[in-house]
Amino acid sequence: MQPSGGAWEFTESPAVEPNQESEELSYPPVRTRRRHRYVMPALVAVAAVAVGSWWFLVRTTSTPVKITYAGAAVSDPQGTLATAETSFATLVDSRHGRTKTSSRCYFERPTTQRANGRSSDVTNTVLCGPVLFFDGDVTRPYLTYRLAASASAGPVSFTVSNQPTHSDPAAAPAATTLVRPDGTSAPVATAGMSVPIPPSAAADVLQAVDVVRPAHLTSASFGAVIGANTIKIRLDDYGPVRDYGEGASERSAPPREELIAFQLEFDGGENSLAPLSAVDLGVSVVNGPTRPLKLSQSGTAE
């Protein structure tokens, strides 16, 4: 097989002749296909360009902003926001996200109140941001944390959820004012900063992955297949990718290298399907040395 940018070389371990002692270890004729996707770098330069900045203003006041929930006063609203900001900061740090010095957590106040509601009422969620993660969208800069209100009489106290309602930031709801005890503001329409680039992968990385970006690669030709008595291997697709992995495990191309992904499909041979852990398979790029692919029984069966 000769995909663009390099050549893949596959080798199968030598067959073992059956005898009386090893005959019981022969592979059963299981007809299962498994797919594995890999990434590895080739020597191509990459670059990134930052986008412009945007700014927004917060209207502050010397008189504390009145904050109520369902008509009742909120107990320690500043403490509630401080708890949310602690969880927010921990999450941003663990996922290598990007924030601004002005990033905060805010109560949400609908600009149109419900019937019998007060103009000072807030919802049972807080928005934290602006923040961007890898492959983020500058127009979707807020994480939402749920608030659980106390059921006792008197001022309402909130318990903040440890995790956001969704792992990906979103745009603020329409017709919403952001509220803090020291001021109010309109939500930002853009994060005002560039999307962070994932940390670089190790040089000459070669590993199995579940997610690559972009996800759509070049389809291999129909004849990109090698086969043997116990295994058939087909190259499904291949091509350059921007990064791989998810969350804190996401990685981009090493310096002066480009990531190349390829997906293999494994099927039974003429007589049986060998366990993938027993297949000796290697890959070579641009006539380089053959490097072994670490296979396991895990994969997507079809």
Side-chain angles (χ1 to χ4, degrees):
M1 289 172 279
Q2 297 284 339
S4 175
W8 316 115
E9 175 183 315
F10 304 100
T11 59
E12 185 186 13
S13 55
V16 178
E17 294 296 334
N19 53 45
Q20 293 182 350
E21 296 181 351
S22 62
E23 192 170 5
E24 296 180 354
L25 301 178
S26 60
Y27 301 124
V30 180
R31 306 299 294 181
T32 304
R33 290 186 295 168
R34 299 179 184 276
R35 290 181 175 177
H36 287 252
R37 176 169 284 172
Y38 299 83
V39 292
M40 66 185 307
L43 297 179
V44 179
V46 295
V49 179
V51 300
S53 296
W54 296 72
W55 303 92
F56 69 100
L57 298 176
V58 178
R59 181 169 61 85
T60 60
T61 175
S62 58
T63 303
V65 176
K66 187 176 183 179
I67 298 176
T68 58
Y69 177 75
V74 173
S75 174
D76 192 18
Q78 187 65 53
T80 299
L81 294 179
T83 299
E85 286 168 350
T86 297
S87 298
F88 174 64
T90 300
L91 179 66
V92 171
D93 183 65
S94 67
R95 293 180 57 186
H96 307 286
R98 179 173 292 173
T99 59
K100 302 178 67 173
T101 56
S102 57
S103 294
R104 298 285 188 277
C105 291
Y106 303 85
F107 291 104
E108 295 182 64
R109 177 180 292 164
T111 55
T112 301
Q113 292 294 326
R114 298 177 181 176
N116 301 323
R118 293 186 179 183
S119 61
S120 55
D121 277 357
V122 296
T123 66
N124 64 340
T125 55
V126 295
L127 294 182
C128 298
V131 60
L132 291 175
F133 298 108
F134 308 140
D135 301 298
D137 182 342
V138 296
T139 65
R140 302 172 64 84
Y142 291 105
L143 289 173
T144 300
Y145 287 80
R146 186 73 62 185
L147 299 176
S150 61
S152 58
V156 175
S157 61
F158 285 123
T159 301
V160 185
S161 60
N162 292 327
Q163 297 295 324
T165 57
H166 196 281
S167 59
D168 293 327
T176 296
T177 298
L178 303 184
V179 178
R180 293 179 59 86
D182 57 351
T184 62
S185 74
V188 297
T190 180
M193 54 194 171
S194 60
V195 175
I197 299 174
S200 298
D204 300 322
V205 65
L206 174 60
Q207 71 179 75
V209 298
D210 294 323
V211 177
V212 295
R213 299 175 188 84
H216 300 290
L217 305 176
T218 301
S219 297
S221 64
F222 182 77
V225 179
I226 59 175
N229 185 49
T230 59
I231 196 76
K232 181 169 68 176
I233 306 171
R234 183 182 188 279
L235 176 65
D236 275 350
D237 49 27
Y238 64 93
V241 294
R242 184 174 63 254
D243 54 62
Y244 67 89
E246 292 185 291
S249 299
E250 192 168 348
R251 294 293 181 267
S252 60
R256 301 184 63 186
E257 295 184 345
E258 182 179 42
L259 293 171
I260 302 296
F262 59 96
Q263 182 166 278
L264 303 177
E265 181 181 298
F266 298 85
D267 201 356
E270 294 182 1
N271 298 315
S272 64
L273 174 62
L276 298 186
S277 57
V279 178
D280 182 13
L281 192 63
V283 61
S284 174
V285 178
V286 195
N287 300 320
T290 300
R291 301 174 61 189
L293 291 179
K294 296 180 179 180
L295 303 177
S296 67
Q297 285 300 99
S298 63
T300 302
E302 296 186 341

PDB file of all heavy atoms in Angstrom, residues 169-186:
ATOM      1  N   PRO A 169     -18.316  24.532  26.362  1.00  0.00           N
ATOM      2  CA  PRO A 169     -18.940  25.836  26.600  1.00  0.00           C
ATOM      3  C   PRO A 169     -20.026  26.128  25.570  1.00  0.00           C
ATOM      4  O   PRO A 169     -20.049  25.544  24.480  1.00  0.00           O
ATOM      5  CB  PRO A 169     -17.762  26.814  26.470  1.00  0.00           C
ATOM      6  CG  PRO A 169     -16.539  25.988  26.703  1.00  0.00           C
ATOM      7  CD  PRO A 169     -16.858  24.639  26.140  1.00  0.00           C
ATOM      8  N   ALA A 170     -20.907  27.049  25.920  1.00  0.00           N
ATOM      9  CA  ALA A 170     -22.004  27.424  25.034  1.00  0.00           C
ATOM     10  C   ALA A 170     -22.199  28.930  25.094  1.00  0.00           C
ATOM     11  O   ALA A 170     -21.638  29.614  25.959  1.00  0.00           O
ATOM     12  CB  ALA A 170     -23.289  26.709  25.430  1.00  0.00           C
ATOM     13  N   ALA A 171     -22.985  29.447  24.173  1.00  0.00           N
ATOM     14  CA  ALA A 171     -23.344  30.861  24.216  1.00  0.00           C
ATOM     15  C   ALA A 171     -24.318  31.090  25.370  1.00  0.00           C
ATOM     16  O   ALA A 171     -25.050  30.183  25.778  1.00  0.00           O
ATOM     17  CB  ALA A 171     -23.976  31.278  22.897  1.00  0.00           C
ATOM     18  N   ALA A 172     -24.318  32.283  25.901  1.00  0.00           N
ATOM     19  CA  ALA A 172     -25.272  32.608  26.968  1.00  0.00           C
ATOM     20  C   ALA A 172     -26.695  32.595  26.401  1.00  0.00           C
ATOM     21  O   ALA A 172     -26.912  32.904  25.229  1.00  0.00           O
ATOM     22  CB  ALA A 172     -24.952  33.975  27.548  1.00  0.00           C
ATOM     23  N   PRO A 173     -27.671  32.212  27.221  1.00  0.00           N
ATOM     24  CA  PRO A 173     -29.065  32.247  26.742  1.00  0.00           C
ATOM     25  C   PRO A 173     -29.463  33.650  26.299  1.00  0.00           C
ATOM     26  O   PRO A 173     -28.947  34.656  26.798  1.00  0.00           O
ATOM     27  CB  PRO A 173     -29.871  31.799  27.970  1.00  0.00           C
ATOM     28  CG  PRO A 173     -28.896  31.043  28.819  1.00  0.00           C
ATOM     29  CD  PRO A 173     -27.572  31.705  28.604  1.00  0.00           C
ATOM     30  N   ALA A 174     -30.371  33.698  25.363  1.00  0.00           N
ATOM     31  CA  ALA A 174     -30.859  34.997  24.889  1.00  0.00           C
ATOM     32  C   ALA A 174     -31.614  35.715  26.011  1.00  0.00           C
ATOM     33  O   ALA A 174     -32.180  35.074  26.903  1.00  0.00           O
ATOM     34  CB  ALA A 174     -31.766  34.796  23.681  1.00  0.00           C
ATOM     35  N   ALA A 175     -31.612  37.019  25.961  1.00  0.00           N
ATOM     36  CA  ALA A 175     -32.356  37.858  26.920  1.00  0.00           C
ATOM     37  C   ALA A 175     -31.949  37.557  28.355  1.00  0.00           C
ATOM     38  O   ALA A 175     -32.789  37.317  29.231  1.00  0.00           O
ATOM     39  CB  ALA A 175     -33.855  37.671  26.728  1.00  0.00           C
ATOM     40  N   THR A 176     -30.646  37.538  28.605  1.00  0.00           N
ATOM     41  CA  THR A 176     -30.109  37.247  29.931  1.00  0.00           C
ATOM     42  C   THR A 176     -29.151  38.346  30.360  1.00  0.00           C
ATOM     43  O   THR A 176     -28.346  38.839  29.552  1.00  0.00           O
ATOM     44  CB  THR A 176     -29.361  35.902  29.943  1.00  0.00           C
ATOM     45  OG1 THR A 176     -30.297  34.855  29.666  1.00  0.00           O
ATOM     46  CG2 THR A 176     -28.708  35.634  31.285  1.00  0.00           C
ATOM     47  N   THR A 177     -29.224  38.718  31.618  1.00  0.00           N
ATOM     48  CA  THR A 177     -28.267  39.642  32.214  1.00  0.00           C
ATOM     49  C   THR A 177     -27.407  38.863  33.201  1.00  0.00           C
ATOM     50  O   THR A 177     -27.920  38.048  33.974  1.00  0.00           O
ATOM     51  CB  THR A 177     -28.985  40.787  32.955  1.00  0.00           C
ATOM     52  OG1 THR A 177     -29.756  41.533  32.012  1.00  0.00           O
ATOM     53  CG2 THR A 177     -27.984  41.713  33.630  1.00  0.00           C
ATOM     54  N   LEU A 178     -26.093  39.090  33.167  1.00  0.00           N
ATOM     55  CA  LEU A 178     -25.179  38.457  34.111  1.00  0.00           C
ATOM     56  C   LEU A 178     -25.127  39.304  35.376  1.00  0.00           C
ATOM     57  O   LEU A 178     -24.970  40.524  35.319  1.00  0.00           O
ATOM     58  CB  LEU A 178     -23.783  38.329  33.493  1.00  0.00           C
ATOM     59  CG  LEU A 178     -23.705  37.561  32.179  1.00  0.00           C
ATOM     60  CD1 LEU A 178     -22.248  37.421  31.738  1.00  0.00           C
ATOM     61  CD2 LEU A 178     -24.356  36.195  32.291  1.00  0.00           C
ATOM     62  N   VAL A 179     -25.247  38.634  36.541  1.00  0.00           N
ATOM     63  CA  VAL A 179     -25.403  39.347  37.805  1.00  0.00           C
ATOM     64  C   VAL A 179     -24.369  38.869  38.812  1.00  0.00           C
ATOM     65  O   VAL A 179     -24.163  37.673  38.995  1.00  0.00           O
ATOM     66  CB  VAL A 179     -26.819  39.139  38.379  1.00  0.00           C
ATOM     67  CG1 VAL A 179     -26.961  39.846  39.714  1.00  0.00           C
ATOM     68  CG2 VAL A 179     -27.870  39.631  37.401  1.00  0.00           C
ATOM     69  N   ARG A 180     -23.746  39.823  39.467  1.00  0.00           N
ATOM     70  CA  ARG A 180     -22.882  39.595  40.622  1.00  0.00           C
ATOM     71  C   ARG A 180     -23.273  40.611  41.702  1.00  0.00           C
ATOM     72  O   ARG A 180     -23.890  41.639  41.389  1.00  0.00           O
ATOM     73  CB  ARG A 180     -21.404  39.767  40.251  1.00  0.00           C
ATOM     74  CG  ARG A 180     -20.866  38.707  39.294  1.00  0.00           C
ATOM     75  CD  ARG A 180     -19.394  38.967  38.961  1.00  0.00           C
ATOM     76  NE  ARG A 180     -18.569  38.971  40.168  1.00  0.00           N
ATOM     77  CZ  ARG A 180     -18.050  37.865  40.723  1.00  0.00           C
ATOM     78  NH1 ARG A 180     -18.262  36.679  40.172  1.00  0.00           N
ATOM     79  NH2 ARG A 180     -17.327  37.939  41.815  1.00  0.00           N
ATOM     80  N   PRO A 181     -22.923  40.359  42.955  1.00  0.00           N
ATOM     81  CA  PRO A 181     -23.280  41.331  43.988  1.00  0.00           C
ATOM     82  C   PRO A 181     -22.704  42.722  43.750  1.00  0.00           C
ATOM     83  O   PRO A 181     -23.264  43.714  44.220  1.00  0.00           O
ATOM     84  CB  PRO A 181     -22.698  40.706  45.260  1.00  0.00           C
ATOM     85  CG  PRO A 181     -22.677  39.244  44.986  1.00  0.00           C
ATOM     86  CD  PRO A 181     -22.350  39.135  43.528  1.00  0.00           C
ATOM     87  N   ASP A 182     -21.582  42.802  42.987  1.00  0.00           N
ATOM     88  CA  ASP A 182     -20.944  44.097  42.774  1.00  0.00           C
ATOM     89  C   ASP A 182     -21.259  44.714  41.418  1.00  0.00           C
ATOM     90  O   ASP A 182     -20.681  45.742  41.050  1.00  0.00           O
ATOM     91  CB  ASP A 182     -19.427  43.977  42.936  1.00  0.00           C
ATOM     92  CG  ASP A 182     -18.826  42.939  41.998  1.00  0.00           C
ATOM     93  OD1 ASP A 182     -19.593  42.192  41.352  1.00  0.00           O
ATOM     94  OD2 ASP A 182     -17.588  42.870  41.911  1.00  0.00           O
ATOM     95  N   GLY A 183     -22.137  44.111  40.634  1.00  0.00           N
ATOM     96  CA  GLY A 183     -22.454  44.716  39.345  1.00  0.00           C
ATOM     97  C   GLY A 183     -23.134  43.749  38.401  1.00  0.00           C
ATOM     98  O   GLY A 183     -23.290  42.559  38.688  1.00  0.00           O
ATOM     99  N   THR A 184     -23.574  44.269  37.269  1.00  0.00           N
ATOM    100  CA  THR A 184     -24.237  43.471  36.244  1.00  0.00           C
ATOM    101  C   THR A 184     -23.575  43.736  34.899  1.00  0.00           C
ATOM    102  O   THR A 184     -22.865  44.734  34.719  1.00  0.00           O
ATOM    103  CB  THR A 184     -25.731  43.819  36.145  1.00  0.00           C
ATOM    104  OG1 THR A 184     -25.857  45.200  35.758  1.00  0.00           O
ATOM    105  CG2 THR A 184     -26.437  43.590  37.467  1.00  0.00           C
ATOM    106  N   SER A 185     -23.806  42.848  33.944  1.00  0.00           N
ATOM    107  CA  SER A 185     -23.263  43.034  32.597  1.00  0.00           C
ATOM    108  C   SER A 185     -24.072  42.232  31.604  1.00  0.00           C
ATOM    109  O   SER A 185     -24.825  41.321  31.975  1.00  0.00           O
ATOM    110  CB  SER A 185     -21.793  42.603  32.528  1.00  0.00           C
ATOM    111  OG  SER A 185     -21.688  41.195  32.548  1.00  0.00           O
ATOM    112  N   ALA A 186     -23.937  42.584  30.345  1.00  0.00           N
ATOM    113  CA  ALA A 186     -24.504  41.758  29.279  1.00  0.00           C
ATOM    114  C   ALA A 186     -23.515  40.643  28.961  1.00  0.00           C
ATOM    115  O   ALA A 186     -22.303  40.827  29.089  1.00  0.00           O
ATOM    116  CB  ALA A 186     -24.764  42.611  28.044  1.00  0.00           C
TER     117      ALA A 186
END
